[in-house]
Amino acid sequence: MANYKVTAAQVAAHAGVSKAAVSRVFNPGRSVSPMLADKVTRAAEELGYSPNLLARSLSLGRTRMIGLIVPYLYNQYYAEVLEQISLAFQAENYRVLVFVLPKTASAIESVVEDLLRYRVDGLIVASVVMSSQLAERCTEAGVPILLFNRVEDHGTFPSVTSDNLRGGRLAARHLLSLGHRCIGYIAGWEDASTQRDRESGFREELGKQGIELAARGVGNFMREDAEKAALAMFDTPDRPSAVFVANDFMAFAAMDVLRHKLGLHVPHDVSVIGFGDIAMSAWPSYDLSTVRQATGKMVSRAVSMLLEMIEEQTEVTTSIVVPNTLVARSSTGAFEKADT
């Protein structure tokens, strides 16, 4: 019967080899003969032995664990990012330890301290703002940090983001090309770099045509706030004919308000475009026009950068911006003048 308390010394005795030989067999990259490996693995299977990977890693000064901080998981974007990051690191023989950020002012500080206690080899912070003091704390602990889907104004951390400025411009060009001139915008969290850049690019492109925003609401990247913003913007006779919403998650909320609370048709009454192109955006119930973030490329670059910092112990301050593209679906359509 398998016994989870079986030790390497017991495996060695059962196989008739030294404890060091057992250690070599279960340490990837160590040189062992096929005969020794077979003898030790058979003995381990018979006894039900599993090596303590964490203890082995600690003895080598590395845990092969990556900390990942996300703000929440109810937005499908972060679920997709979590899956892709986890699989990418697993392919490199690392494991990901996930912390979801509580909604308190000091949450990021306490979460980072917890992750440092777990002795993670590196840290990815997704869509969360970090202070320079925290950067110093992680530097003192020898833990490299990479920002994902955010940049910091003080430029302390390396980062990987989508081209949010260009994405805002793409959204504006799309609506303008359809004849819309009375256009609204539902913003995300005001302090987020992604929000600021998307809105800046959007306003810049509208401004080239001499157009200003007809209406602006704030959704804070939250469904309830986005619903309130959409209701305030469109429950009025002089409503915009189109709206750019700062991410797809909020765009779904806006579409639900337009169709189910206000009885409006998307896109005949109002065209809606989002940002992100998460999987739900292509579902027939939304079929959302959006700006596609190349999430796979963002993850690949982020994983490569962090591994370089960990394994080569190099200091990286690069900010990588990944191009995005427009995806036009049925939630946007040509401007139709209202009947009078």
Side-chain angles (χ1 to χ4, degrees), residues 47-99:
L47 295 177
Y49 170 74
S50 290
N52 187 331
L53 298 179
L54 182 57
R56 182 200 307 156
S57 297
L58 288 171
S59 70
L60 298 173
R62 295 265 293 276
T63 62
R64 302 198 74 84
M65 288 199 301
I66 303 296
L68 172 62
I69 301 176
V70 294
Y72 39 71
L73 290 175
Y74 50 77
N75 179 347
Q76 190 186 9
Y77 175 71
Y78 294 107
E80 293 177 5
V81 166
L82 170 58
E83 179 181 11
Q84 292 188 37
I85 286 178
S86 296
L87 290 174
F89 276 114
Q90 283 174 209
E92 300 294 334
N93 199 29
Y94 283 80
R95 295 297 179 264
V96 174
L97 184 62
V98 180
F99 274 64

Side-chain angles (χ1 to χ4, degrees), residues 1-3 11 14 26 37-50:
M1 183 184 299
N3 183 348
V11 173
H14 191 70
F26 287 106
D38 180 64
K39 182 184 291 188
V40 170
T41 53
R42 277 193 292 107
E45 289 173 2
E46 290 169 5
L47 295 177
Y49 170 74
S50 290

Side-chain angles (χ1 to χ4, degrees), residues 8-9 11-13 15 17-27 36 40 49:
V11 173
V17 299
S18 68
K19 185 179 175 181
V22 173
S23 178
R24 289 200 305 274
V25 169
F26 287 106
N27 273 287
L36 176 62
V40 170
Y49 170 74

Side-chain angles (χ1 to χ4, degrees), residues 45-262:
E45 289 173 2
E46 290 169 5
L47 295 177
Y49 170 74
S50 290
N52 187 331
L53 298 179
L54 182 57
R56 182 200 307 156
S57 297
L58 288 171
S59 70
L60 298 173
R62 295 265 293 276
T63 62
R64 302 198 74 84
M65 288 199 301
I66 303 296
L68 172 62
I69 301 176
V70 294
Y72 39 71
L73 290 175
Y74 50 77
N75 179 347
Q76 190 186 9
Y77 175 71
Y78 294 107
E80 293 177 5
V81 166
L82 170 58
E83 179 181 11
Q84 292 188 37
I85 286 178
S86 296
L87 290 174
F89 276 114
Q90 283 174 209
E92 300 294 334
N93 199 29
Y94 283 80
R95 295 297 179 264
V96 174
L97 184 62
V98 180
F99 274 64
V100 178
L101 200 64
K103 297 179 181 178
T104 60
S106 61
I108 182 66
E109 287 83 359
S110 63
V111 165
V112 168
E113 287 296 334
D114 282 345
L115 282 166
L116 292 178
R117 292 187 190 101
Y118 280 101
R119 299 178 66 177
V120 295
D121 291 338
L123 182 59
I124 292 182
V125 182
S127 301
V128 174
V129 174
M130 287 187 67
S131 67
S132 56
Q133 289 82 4
L134 273 182
E136 186 176 336
R137 174 73 183 88
C138 292
T139 300
E140 290 173 353
V143 176
I145 302 174
L146 184 137
L147 300 185
F148 186 88
N149 200 39
R150 279 288 188 280
V151 294
E152 291 289 333
D153 294 335
H154 47 72
T156 303
F157 307 106
S159 63
V160 177
T161 65
S162 148
D163 192 342
N164 292 291
L165 274 168
R166 180 174 182 271
R169 296 185 191 112
L170 290 175
R173 288 174 198 164
H174 179 61
L175 295 179
L176 291 170
S177 73
L178 294 171
H180 296 283
R181 297 297 180 268
C182 184
I183 302 171
Y185 176 69
I186 296 179
W189 180 49
E190 299 277 24
D191 288 339
S193 62
T194 48
Q195 144 58 30
R196 295 196 302 266
D197 289 348
R198 290 169 196 177
E199 182 171 2
S200 293
F202 189 66
R203 284 179 178 269
E204 177 186 296
E205 198 65 27
L206 293 181
K208 290 178 182 178
Q209 303 299 319
I211 297 172
E212 295 184 357
L213 285 181
R216 184 183 189 275
V218 179
N220 290 311
F221 295 134
M222 308 289 288
R223 181 174 178 86
E224 288 186 5
D225 291 352
E227 288 176 342
K228 292 175 183 176
L231 194 60
M233 185 178 294
F234 291 101
D235 192 13
T236 175
D238 57 347
R239 63 178 180 261
S241 66
V243 62
F244 172 38
V245 189
N247 73 3
D248 290 353
F249 182 64
M250 294 193 301
F252 302 148
M255 290 180 71
D256 289 341
V257 166
L258 291 169
R259 295 183 298 189
H260 305 306
K261 291 188 177 181
L262 299 177

